[in-house]
Each structure stands twice: as C-alpha cells, then as structure tokens.
C-alpha cells in the first residue's frame, strides 16, 4: 500500500506573507510552507522550501516527522516555469 501524497504548490503572489518565519526585511518568509500528513502516523507537518532557490528538476531529501520521528522521503519537483510539486513517502 503506497502512502505517497503529491501536492501542487502555487507560488505566493507579491504581498502575500507567511507568518511562519521572518527571513526578509519586509518580515515575510518568501519560500513555501506546505502542510503534509506523515505517511507513518498521519499527523500533519510542515515542509518549508524556497522553489526560487531550487533549479528545475527533481530534489530529494529526508525529513523526520516532528511527532513520531520516523523519516519521510521528500521529493520536490520544480518545472522550468517555476511550478513545484511535493511528494512525501515512507523513507
């Protein structure tokens, strides 16, 4: 049984601001914060990334669940036009 979940991430428009982190002078975090469900325990968690800093293509990394501490296999795909999708599966 696959626990893969793919979500499409839409870039923030100018003026939209996430209150999660303050990384820029304007007080906004200009990356993406995507809420996903842990493929092990089902609890929600956040992935933070900046698609503007990622080259087009596929990027993979492992992130542990903040609740059950099990590893997620995260794949971020960035298209040539900057659209991105996130896939989270069991590592």
């Amino acid at each position: 049984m696959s626990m893969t979940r793919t979500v499409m991430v839409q870039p923030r428009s100018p003026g939209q601001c996430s209150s999660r982190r303050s990384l820029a002078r304007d007080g906004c975090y200009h990356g993406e914060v995507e809420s996903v469900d842990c493929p092990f325990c089902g609890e929600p968690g956040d992935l933070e990334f900046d698609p503007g800093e990622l080259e087009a293509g596929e990027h993979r990394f492992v992130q542990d669940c903040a609740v059950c501490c099990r590893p997620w296999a995260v794949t971020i795909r960035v298209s040539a036009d900057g659209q991105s999708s996130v896939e989270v599966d069991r590592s």
Side-chain angles (χ1 to χ4, degrees):
M1 178 171 91
S2 176
M3 299 297 283
T4 300
R5 177 174 178 224
T6 301
V7 291
M8 295 303 296
V9 180
Q10 298 299 320
R12 285 188 183 16
S13 59
Q16 274 188 309
C17 182
S18 170
S19 61
R20 295 245 185 231
R21 284 168 58 177
S22 178
L23 294 181
R25 288 185 184 173
D26 63 4
C28 290
Y29 172 65
H30 291 280
E32 300 296 330
V33 178
E34 184 60 45
S35 294
V36 296
D37 295 330
C38 174
F40 292 98
C41 69
E43 290 294 320
D46 289 338
L47 291 173
E48 295 183 20
F49 65 97
D50 187 348
E53 292 184 5
L54 297 175
E55 294 180 11
E58 189 172 276
H59 306 273
R60 295 176 186 224
F61 60 93
V62 174
Q63 177 173 320
D64 292 340
C65 174
V67 176
C68 72
C69 300
R70 292 170 122 178
W72 301 343
V74 179
T75 304
I76 299 174
R77 290 180 183 88
V78 180
S79 66
D81 65 358
Q83 295 293 313
S84 57
S85 66
V86 177
E87 183 177 298
V88 176
D89 204 352
R90 293 179 176 199
S91 178

